Amino acid sequence: MQKKYSWYSLLKAGLSGQDWDQAIPLVEPKSKYDIIIVGGGGHGLATAYYLAKECGIKNVAVVEKGYIGGGNTGRNTTIIRSNYLRDEASSLYEHAMKLWEGISEDLNFNVMFSQRGVYNLGHSLQDMRDIERRVNANVLNGVDAQVVDVNEIKQQIPIINITKNARYPVMGASYQPRGGVARHDGVAWGFARAASMLGVDIIQDCEVIDIEVEEGRVKGVKTTRGDILADRVGCVSAGHSSVLAKMAGLRLPIESHPLQAFVSEAMKPVLHTVVMSNAVHGYISQSDKGDLVIGAGIDSYNSYAQRGNSQIIEHAAAAILELFPIFSRVRMNRQWGGIVDVCPDACPIISPTKVEGLYFNCGWGTGGFKATPGSGNVFAHTIAQDKQHPLAVPFHIDRFTTGALIDEHGAAGVAH
Amino acid sequence: MFLLYCPYCNEEREQNEFSAAGEAFIARPKNPEAISDKDWADYVFYRTNHKGDHWEQWVHANGCRKYFIVKRSTISHEILQVEPFGTEISEQES
Amino acid sequence: MRVEQHPDNQIDRSKLITFIFNNKIYKGFEGDTLASALLANDVTLLTRSFKYGRKRGLMAAGVEEPNALISLEFGGRYTPNLKATEILLYDGLCAKSATSPNGLDLRAFIKPLHRFMPAGFYYKTFIKQKVWAKVENSIRALSGFSESPTEEDVDVYEHIHHHAEVLIIGAGVAGISAAMEVLNNSENERVILVDERPRLGGEIISELCSDNSAKEWLKSSVADLNVFRKEHSDRFTVLCNSTAYAWHDQNFVEVLETITTAQSLADRKIQTPRKINHKVRVKEVILATGAHERPMLFEANDLSNIMLSQSVRRYLNEFGVISGNNPIIYGNNDTIYQTAKDLITNDISCMVIDVRPDGANNPFAEELKNSGIKIFQGYAVVKAHGSNRVKSVDIAPAIYKNSDWEVGNEIESLNCDLLASSGGFNPVVHLNCHSGSKTYFNEDSQSFLTGDLPSNRQVCGAVDGTSDWQDAIVDGRNKAKLTLQSLGINKNPKIEKLSENHNNPYRVSPFFTPTSIINRPKVFLDLQNDVTTTDVAISIREGYRSIEHIKRYTAMGFGTDQGKTGNINGIAVAAKLLGKPMSEVGTTTFRPAYSGVDFGALAGRENGAYFDPQRFTTIHDSHVANGAEFEVVGQWYRPWYYPKSGEDIHQAVHRECLAARTSLGMMDASTLGKIDVQGPDAREFLSRVYTNAWMKLAPGSCRYGLMCDEKGMIADDGVSSCINDNHFIMTTTTGGAASVYSALEMWLQTEWSDLDVHLNSITDQFSTVAIVGPSARQLMKVLCQDVEFDREKFKFMQWRQGTVCGVDARIMRISFSGELAYEINVEANYGRYIWDQVQALGKRWNITPYGTESMHVLRAEKGFIIVGQDTDGSMTPMDVNMSWILAKDKPFSYVGRRSFTIEALVKDDRLQLVGLLTKDAAVVIPEGSHIVDDKRSSIGYVTSSYFSPILRRSIALAQLQNGLNKLGDTVIVKIVQKRQGLKEIPCDVSSSVFYDPNGEKVDGNE
């Protein structure tokens, strides 16, 4: 059986009828674990991986109600960048970025992290002021970032429309060269496989239906596949965070909204970088398969339905045509929706709760994918030590009571 | 992409005419200065975010501009009940 | 090649059409698709596959076609990735393969390596980030089908909204029958019938040549529909070439109609939309979308001229085309015999291979045997041979026992040049699933059918598993009756009985997925993405067992055909390998779009200038005539500055600012939001939403107000005027007008319904001309005679009603520059007139129009904030040194007040607004630069920065940690971007008021 991925194992497998080992073994839940992670998305799997790898805790289960990576991990537009405005946010996302840069090797699984650069376009004088402010903050924080003018943008992205004919002409952009995209499913699978190899149980088709709390302390979870005890439980179930919180008698400062995206039919490569525009509200990249991957906005109403209003898709298409009029006769192949947790300050919660042993990692809004390894890493340490990882400290849930919001919202011009 | 019935216009109209205006029954504390920071935060930020039948506020933004309350399934988007603002509802969620 | 003409072919052989494919000229007929015309010309290699670059030809005749991807036309009409089967032929059509089947292809060249490139290959290779970064682009270069367009689209697209009672999707037999039933049994109900094909009839068109009763039925039904359409055009709409591509909540269906389908380019009018996106909202939907045939599985099943059996029939009967002389028909159901019969009718001899070991019990087989056709029953095709095009097949005996297929070892080889296969039918349930409905696996018909239906929808015909056309007629009628019942019209529907075997009229056998076939190489499931049975096996072996994982790991069904022919076979293979029933494996999620939708058609007209409404003041034309450059603020176009010839922005702003400071400036302030606040409780209302006091503001007076949100953060500001005790006019920022207005409505309606206050947005109803400068009073006296302008009579922060150049006006004496200033508010239509009068009469004082840039400089000189520029949603009034505006003794806890005392808002390291004076007065700090401490950490940043003409030095506003306690300190602004010149700029922290700190200028020069 071929376990480790290498050219040698590929050759051997090719000659022996592809006799690969199971990347994600089928396991039955045990009755008790040290730690249960609820939610088998990228963040949850990464948490389990780092618990096993860096915190020495291997008696860990990830319980997933469907299939791993089936939530927002597999539904997002896979943009990765760390050029956030506020120090707290940029430190966290830059931590993730550094992990991304070694993640394929670390996991022995190519997640196809492609540092093809990310442009955040500005369309007004205030956009450009915000861009300058953010880029300067990034540089001071050691995050690679630069301001580029329209001519440089045109040079790098010849197909973009920078004429004044656009309703909101492009005035400039911030550019992060280390930003890019990754293969979303691969991220979930890579973490799952690596965690499994370290002894973590990945249990799919296992829905948590209750969280057991006794005298203010978590005892375990009730699932569709039986009760599982644990000393500590970490909830990483974007979209459904409030539902899990309710099981433990908690409320969260979170609302769930549909977020939509779509892809075109596959074309030969024509767009070699990632372009985001908050002002006209569309973001786009072209995948290695050749399809244009386009992110749209969120619907304003609460929903758990993984579908939204078609006007949102239409607006995103119109926004893309503002930037790339040549795509008018390109066809949308498939559209879909996810459910995102939206936090009032557009920053996540990585935090213990008033229930002892129960931790939440949620509220990533529309931008969680890019943080996957960083989020899992700091959450693992937070659970393992029952003390927030230093980078997670600003993301305590109490900030909504103390008022210490991080507020990436206020910093307009930052698209997700 | 659902239809909403405006209890003031007495017409069923496209959802695009309306704006979602958050969870219903979040009342501003009568005397904010008298409550704790925690309770204030609960009013400003914390939400039930119910999965299932959910009471929420909508405003007929591109119509009569009136606010009203709607019980809607956040799972199927089915509209279950529509009432003018201020209607007493006994089965409020907590 | 074409077969002999038959009157029921749908092409017109008298109308010859010339077209170009891959640089060669061909002929076809009117009514052809590009696909049928190419087959007629014996062009059978059309493209290459995605992963292995294998040469491929047509497999199907409709939207389900996986292979034949084509690029159509050039320039502004170039369209990528169309299926040859969906392009109607027109004169002069010019197309080429998305990926040329000719020449060398790297993917095909590395054929010996394909065995080392299984599903998941890239997850296992190039694991080092540096290596991946190097090779990714080369791998990328091999991907994709057509090239991207390079020019802007010459065509336009429309959206049309429909409201009707009944939408019928699919105008095959079931759909037509349902439409007739609804139309004939209702009086006012509006009905819309849509179909993706150019003609009504769907699959029954293939029966017309052989079945006279089918022909008669279709002829009379279509005639009836046409009569109805003519006589009741108000209640019956038929849309052909129209694909329902998405079904949303509450029966909202999107239908994409192609208008220019068969028109030659010369006949197309530029303003005729190329496509119309119909937005259909109906009470009831009847789904009659039919079924797609699925192929049989065997090795090398992707060779060209291996086609679907029903597609072969369609090409033959609809277009008079066949792509071989020596066909073999292979399948697991009775439809293959009809295909054979049609071929014989056209004098084409063929063989039939039926995997079902029926022996002599199959009447269809017996009938054919009698006419001398060779029939193999209980045999399976295990492998096809041929270089690119099929030349022969290997067959072997097959037996179904113990719920499994077994294939014998005795191989026989049969020559052929066309293989038509049928592995059963996949009902087109896609749309039904878009809006949340589930499917279940029906063992009888070996297909996924719609499960429990939500109310207000019906499913009929082949999509409901009722495939026989005569049953489908009845089924359509039945479902129409239920629809009428749901509409409250037919109270007591009489449901007619269907024939006994309506669920499986063709006796489809269980999926032919024996291990000996699955284990073979090159048994393709998804031909577009080159997904084989062994890929599915590897996926499962590696633990990707959920059908969604299998799909994602192998890319099965991700192509432009969305797996319409391949997915269900893939599920059957997975079921076999997992040892689970089909129902337990389930389908992947069906998502919109059912077939591709052009971005242009999604956007419709909301494109370019129409992307977002453009708002102009009534004075706009004058600004244009004055040569203004514009700044976009919200949706508004505001004059930014008015350059005179040769001036750059700095020179223009310099001139404009000095005019306002020394003589007279004028500005169009019409874009500021204006909200009319009326009612006995108007004062109380303002007291609640603003931080300061409003109870004692006298009629005739104005007051500046600051508005916070409940978080205690500055949300907006502006001046409100007391018209009388029950009436105020509030102004807001230009960009904040809409959000402030809705926030105010929300407070009134949802929290303070006890207040008797009414709001109205009056931004568009008034034009505002500001006259600014020391000579403003002199000019006002010229403009208006019925108001006293003496400084004691008309004080700062007061307003007067008067007549300006004969127009009723409210004149506000307020100032955003620190100079004596008046704002003349008139009914919007007089705006341009007043502006012109002011400009003409102000000439004496060299009155100078100025734009937003000068406005920014003038206000910054006075330290006035701009919400959104100097604040960013995280600044409190205390942070901007405006504690003075927080009323201490208001009984009501105004919006935001409670938050002022929470922990983080009273900390002493908050960012606070201060002034910065560079040590070198000539240096203007770039906006957005950061102030750093000695560790190079940011302790604040510059929000506004200008060269002040009146002060002859640079000034800046900045947010600085604990800044209000650092007045007089020296701080360092660090420039960190190369393009701005890396440097440190030492600055003194100052008051944010730079000019006229005691406010002496506000009364003007006399």
Side-chain angles (χ1 to χ4, degrees), chain A residues 169-294:
Chain A
V170 178
M171 295 182 74
S174 72
Y175 176 54
Q176 185 177 23
R178 285 158 71 233
V181 292
R183 171 91 186 115
H184 51 12
D185 294 327
V187 173
W189 300 337
F191 274 115
R193 171 171 167 270
S196 295
M197 285 167 93
L198 293 172
V200 171
D201 280 357
I202 300 194
I203 305 159
Q204 307 186 67
D205 292 316
C206 180
E207 183 172 0
V208 170
I209 46 179
D210 204 0
I211 295 175
E212 302 284 347
V213 179
E214 256 178 56
E215 291 169 6
R217 203 185 150 86
V218 76
K219 288 287 164 201
V221 295
K222 260 191 190 336
T223 78
T224 48
R225 290 173 69 176
D227 296 359
I228 313 176
L229 298 174
D231 299 331
R232 295 174 195 183
V233 174
C235 295
V236 207
S237 55
H240 281 74
S241 306
S242 300
V243 177
L244 280 171
K246 195 176 175 187
M247 293 175 190
L250 302 172
R251 258 156 76 87
L252 297 173
I254 276 180
E255 291 194 286
S256 301
H257 292 272
L259 174 70
Q260 298 181 78
F262 61 101
V263 292
S264 76
E265 298 174 345
M267 296 185 296
K268 296 267 184 314
V270 64
L271 180 62
H272 307 288
T273 184
V274 182
V275 180
M276 314 175 69
S277 170
N278 198 40
V280 300
H281 216 110
Y283 8 117
I284 182 167
S285 66
Q286 188 177 18
S287 78
D288 283 345
K289 277 211 200 80
D291 34 3
L292 300 171
V293 183
I294 293 166

Side-chain angles (χ1 to χ4, degrees), chain A residues 10 18 23 68 110 113-114 133 136 167-168 185 266 268 288 307 314 328-333 335 402, chain C residues 81 86 123 125 129 136 145 153 155 249 279 541-542 549 552 562 592 597 599 612-613 637 904 928:
Chain A
L10 268 166
Q18 303 296 345
I68 59 166
N110 185 359
F113 176 46
S114 167
R133 175 190 179 191
N136 291 329
R167 174 66 180 84
Y168 293 106
D185 294 327
K268 296 267 184 314
D288 283 345
R307 60 177 188 268
E314 286 167 6
S328 176
R329 293 168 99 97
V330 175
R331 300 196 292 186
M332 171 177 83
N333 195 25
Q335 71 177 74
T402 65
Chain C
N81 293 336
E86 61 178 342
Y123 298 122
T125 43
Q129 187 64 34
E136 190 193 5
F145 297 105
D153 197 339
D155 285 316
D249 294 327
K279 311 282 179 177
R541 194 176 309 147
E542 293 193 64
H549 276 166
R552 287 157 180 266
Q562 301 247 20
V597 184
F599 287 10
D612 200 30
Y637 284 73

Side-chain angles (χ1 to χ4, degrees), chain B:
Chain B
M1 291 313 286
F2 38 87
L3 295 168
L4 263 180
Y5 182 82
C6 173
Y8 299 97
C9 298
N10 291 315
E11 274 196 46
E12 196 169 52
R13 312 287 297 178
E14 291 281 339
Q15 177 217 322
N16 298 318
E17 282 190 19
F18 303 86
S19 298
E23 205 159 299
F25 315 132
I26 306 227
R28 189 173 199 259
K30 286 279 173 260
N31 187 355
E33 268 65 29
I35 64 171
S36 68
D37 287 356
K38 224 186 137 298
D39 288 344
W40 179 247
D42 198 61
Y43 153 68
V44 179
F45 296 119
Y46 284 74
R47 296 294 177 264
T48 303
N49 193 24
H50 189 58
K51 181 176 183 182
D53 299 349
H54 183 59
W55 277 104
E56 57 198 7
Q57 308 181 137
W58 284 80
V59 55
H60 197 178
N62 296 309
C64 65
R65 303 190 334 230
K66 291 288 240 179
Y67 281 75
F68 55 97
I69 54 172
V70 175
K71 186 162 111 178
R72 183 179 62 91
S73 165
T74 55
I75 300 167
S76 71
H77 295 170
E78 190 185 349
I79 310 293
L80 303 155
Q81 199 176 338
V82 176
E83 300 290 348
F85 210 90
T87 308
E88 290 284 328
I89 304 292
S90 52
E91 38 144 350
Q92 293 187 7
E93 304 143 358
S94 62

